[in-house]
């Protein structure tokens, strides 16, 4: 008995779908292995050793310069963090997490950082109301690894910097995804407020970004909807409180005095002095032209698309590029 054309077409689609799932699964596994191998080659630097052994700053009751090693307890860590807050800077959350993890075998930190990179790609590719897409996740991971090699070396492979920038950035992306949720439950509300506070007091740049985005979102929501969600407002307030803890840390003033020539300039002059360097740190010469071309291309395509699914997909790509 001959099969109908519909039956043949259906079988062909099923076969192609299975092959597509197999191909995506294989590519996903290879990407995950690549991320894990990349983080496997992380080694400790001088700052990492100093934090892991609590020998970066003096601890009350322990002679200055004494090599503590890993023979310390939670009380010693708190003393270390308090001294750091008043004499070095406000990133106490980052330092606390770094010390706890580096006190354990290094393999744990490597695995956790690999997981964080994967989570970063997942959350950045499903931001807000954008439908989750495997292709957007691939694009997110791809753009992450297109950063300048010197930035990657100093910001990802150097753990002390990674704990201050990469790890808080992942938390901020997760919190902003929750910030855009339309419905909340009690469990979400509790973790959301705690997460916003921790993300706000993680580091100066990341915390400022979180406070600015949540504040603008709240203002725009009020202008268009004439109401403010209490949970979002509470999260924003706790993020601002957390950021204030970092920004107004007494240790920041101590560090500024060590570079008095630069910090004696006005805020505007400091911004102008560093504007060019900061711009090319974010958009280096290899990545910036590609981002511009891709963004313009997808912007043109989006303006001509009428299909809802494809429109959402292209809009998602633009959000990732931005």
């Amino acid at each position: 008995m001959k099969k109908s054309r519909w039956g043949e077409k259906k079988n062909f689609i099923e076969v192609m779908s299975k092959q597509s799932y197999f191909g995506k699964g294989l590519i996903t596994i290879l990407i995950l292995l690549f991320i894990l191998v990349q983080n496997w080659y992380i080694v400790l630097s001088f700052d990492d050793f100093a934090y892991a052994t609590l020998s970066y700053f003096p601890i009350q009751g322990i002679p200055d310069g004494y090599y503590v090693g890993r023979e310390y307890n939670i009380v010693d860590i708190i003393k270390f963090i308090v001294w750091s807050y008043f004499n070095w800077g406000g990133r106490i959350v980052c330092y606390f997490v770094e010390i706890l993890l580096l006190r354990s075998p290094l393999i744990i930190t490597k695995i956790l950082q690999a997981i964080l990179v994967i989570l970063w790609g997942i959350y950045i590719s499903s931001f807000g109301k954008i439908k989750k897409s495997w292709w957007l996740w691939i694009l997110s991971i791809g753009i992450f690894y297109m950063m300048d090699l010197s930035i990657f070396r100093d910001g990802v492979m150097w753990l002390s910097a990674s704990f201050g920038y990469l790890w808080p950035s992942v938390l901020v992306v997760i919190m902003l995804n929750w910030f855009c949720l339309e419905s909340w439950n009690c469990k979400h509300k509790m973790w959301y407020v705690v997460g916003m506070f921790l993300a706000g007091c993680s580091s100066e740049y990341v915390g400022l970004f979180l406070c600015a985005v949540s504040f603008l979102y709240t203002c725009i929501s009020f202008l268009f909807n004439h109401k403010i969600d209490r949970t979002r407002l509470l999260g924003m307030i706790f993020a601002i409180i957390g950021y204030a803890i970092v920004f107004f840390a007494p240790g920041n003033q101590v560090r500024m005095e060590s570079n008095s020539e630069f910090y004696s300039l006005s805020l505007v002059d400091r911004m102008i002095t560093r504007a060019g360097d900061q711009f090319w740190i974010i958009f280096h010469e290899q990545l910036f032209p590609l981002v511009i071309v891709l963004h313009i291309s997808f912007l043109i395509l989006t303006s001509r698309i009428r299909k809802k699914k494809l429109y959402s997909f292209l809009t998602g790509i633009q959000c990732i590029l931005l």
Side-chain angles (χ1 to χ4, degrees), residues 11 23 34 43 61 68 90 93 96 98-99 103 105 133 169 196 205 207 211 214 230 243 250 260 290 316:
N11 291 336
F34 168 77
V43 294
V68 180
V93 174
F96 185 76
E98 180 178 7
I99 292 167
R103 195 170 185 268
S133 169
S169 297
M196 289 290 282
Y205 300 111
C211 293
S214 56
R230 291 182 180 179
Y243 184 70
S260 57
L290 178 61

Side-chain angles (χ1 to χ4, degrees), residues 182-195:
E182 294 182 349
S183 59
W184 301 80
N185 55 46
C186 293
K187 187 178 179 180
H188 262 138
K189 290 179 181 179
M190 180 186 68
W191 286 111
Y192 165 73
V193 173
V194 173

